[in-house]
Coordinates of all heavy atoms in Angstrom, one line a residue:
F868 N -6.6 78.5 -13.7 CA -5.8 79.6 -13.6 C -6.0 80.3 -12.3 O -5.0 80.7 -11.6 CB -6.2 80.5 -14.7 CG -5.4 81.8 -14.7 CD1 -4.1 81.9 -15.1 CD2 -6.0 82.9 -14.3 CE1 -3.4 83.1 -15.1 CE2 -5.4 84.2 -14.3 CZ -4.1 84.3 -14.6
K869 N -7.2 80.4 -11.8 CA -7.5 81.2 -10.6 C -7.0 80.4 -9.3 O -6.4 80.9 -8.5 CB -9.1 81.3 -10.4 CG -9.5 82.1 -9.2 CD -11.0 82.2 -9.2 CE -11.4 83.1 -7.9 NZ -11.0 82.6 -6.7
L870 N -7.2 79.0 -9.4 CA -6.6 78.3 -8.3 C -5.1 78.3 -8.2 O -4.5 78.4 -7.1 CB -7.1 76.8 -8.4 CG -8.5 76.5 -8.2 CD1 -8.9 75.1 -8.5 CD2 -9.0 76.8 -6.7
T871 N -4.5 78.3 -9.4 CA -3.0 78.3 -9.4 C -2.5 79.7 -8.9 O -1.5 79.8 -8.2 CB -2.5 78.0 -10.8 OG1 -3.1 76.8 -11.3 CG2 -1.0 78.1 -10.9
A872 N -3.1 80.7 -9.3 CA -2.7 82.1 -9.0 C -3.0 82.2 -7.4 O -2.1 82.9 -6.8 CB -3.5 83.2 -9.7
D873 N -4.1 81.8 -6.9 CA -4.4 81.9 -5.5 C -3.3 81.1 -4.7 O -2.9 81.6 -3.6 CB -5.8 81.4 -5.2 CG -6.8 82.4 -5.7 OD1 -6.6 83.5 -6.1 OD2 -8.0 81.9 -5.9
A874 N -3.0 79.9 -5.1 CA -1.9 79.1 -4.4 C -0.6 79.8 -4.4 O 0.1 79.9 -3.4 CB -1.9 77.8 -5.1
A875 N -0.3 80.4 -5.6 CA 1.0 81.2 -5.5 C 1.0 82.4 -4.6 O 2.0 82.7 -4.0 CB 1.3 81.6 -7.0
R876 N -0.2 83.1 -4.6 CA -0.3 84.2 -3.7 C -0.1 83.8 -2.2 O 0.4 84.5 -1.4 CB -1.6 84.9 -4.0 CG -1.7 86.3 -3.3 CD -3.0 87.0 -3.7 NE -3.0 87.3 -5.2 CZ -3.8 86.7 -6.1 NH1 -4.6 85.7 -5.7 NH2 -3.7 87.0 -7.3
Q877 N -0.7 82.7 -1.9 CA -0.6 82.2 -0.5 C 0.9 81.9 -0.2 O 1.3 82.1 1.0 CB -1.5 81.0 -0.3 CG -3.0 81.2 -0.4 CD -3.4 82.1 0.8 OE1 -2.9 82.0 1.9 NE2 -4.5 82.9 0.6
L878 N 1.6 81.4 -1.1 CA 2.9 80.9 -0.8 C 3.9 82.2 -0.7 O 4.8 82.2 0.2 CB 3.5 80.1 -2.0 CG 2.9 78.7 -2.0 CD1 3.4 78.0 -3.3 CD2 3.2 77.9 -0.8
V879 N 3.6 83.3 -1.5 CA 4.4 84.4 -1.3 C 4.1 85.3 -0.1 O 4.8 85.9 0.6 CB 4.2 85.3 -2.7 CG1 4.8 86.7 -2.5 CG2 4.7 84.5 -3.8
G880 N 2.7 85.3 0.3 CA 2.3 86.2 1.4 C 1.9 87.6 0.9 O 2.1 87.9 -0.2
T881 N 1.4 88.4 1.8 CA 0.8 89.7 1.5 C 1.9 90.8 2.0 O 1.6 91.9 1.6 CB -0.5 89.8 2.2 OG1 -0.4 89.6 3.6 CG2 -1.6 88.9 1.7
G882 N 2.8 90.4 2.6 CA 3.7 91.4 3.1 C 5.2 90.9 3.2 O 5.4 89.7 3.0
Q885 N 6.8 87.4 4.9 CA 5.7 86.3 5.0 C 6.0 85.3 3.9 O 5.2 84.3 3.8 CB 4.4 87.0 4.8 CG 4.0 87.9 6.0 CD 2.6 88.4 5.9 OE1 1.9 88.2 4.9 NE2 2.1 89.3 6.8
E886 N 7.0 85.4 3.1 CA 7.2 84.4 2.0 C 7.5 83.1 2.6 O 8.4 82.9 3.4 CB 8.2 84.9 1.1 CG 8.0 86.2 0.4 CD 8.6 87.4 1.2 OE1 8.9 87.1 2.4 OE2 8.7 88.5 0.7
I887 N 6.8 82.0 2.1 CA 7.2 80.7 2.3 C 8.3 80.2 1.4 O 9.2 79.5 1.7 CB 6.0 79.7 2.3 CG1 5.0 80.1 3.4 CG2 6.4 78.2 2.5 CD1 3.7 79.4 3.3
I893 N 8.8 81.4 -7.0 CA 7.3 81.3 -7.3 C 7.0 81.8 -8.8 O 6.3 81.2 -9.5 CB 6.5 81.9 -6.3 CG1 6.6 81.1 -4.9 CG2 5.1 82.0 -6.7 CD1 5.9 79.8 -5.0
L897 N 5.6 79.5 -11.5 CA 4.2 79.8 -12.0 C 4.3 80.1 -13.6 O 3.3 79.7 -14.3 CB 3.7 81.0 -11.3 CG 2.3 81.5 -11.6 CD1 1.3 80.4 -11.3 CD2 1.9 82.8 -10.9

Side-chain angles (χ1 to χ4, degrees):
F868 176 77
K869 184 176 184 302
L870 291 174
T871 304
D873 291 343
R876 192 176 293 107
Q877 290 293 329
L878 292 174
V879 173
T881 57
Q885 297 182 357
E886 300 92 342
I887 301 176
I893 289 293
L897 182 61

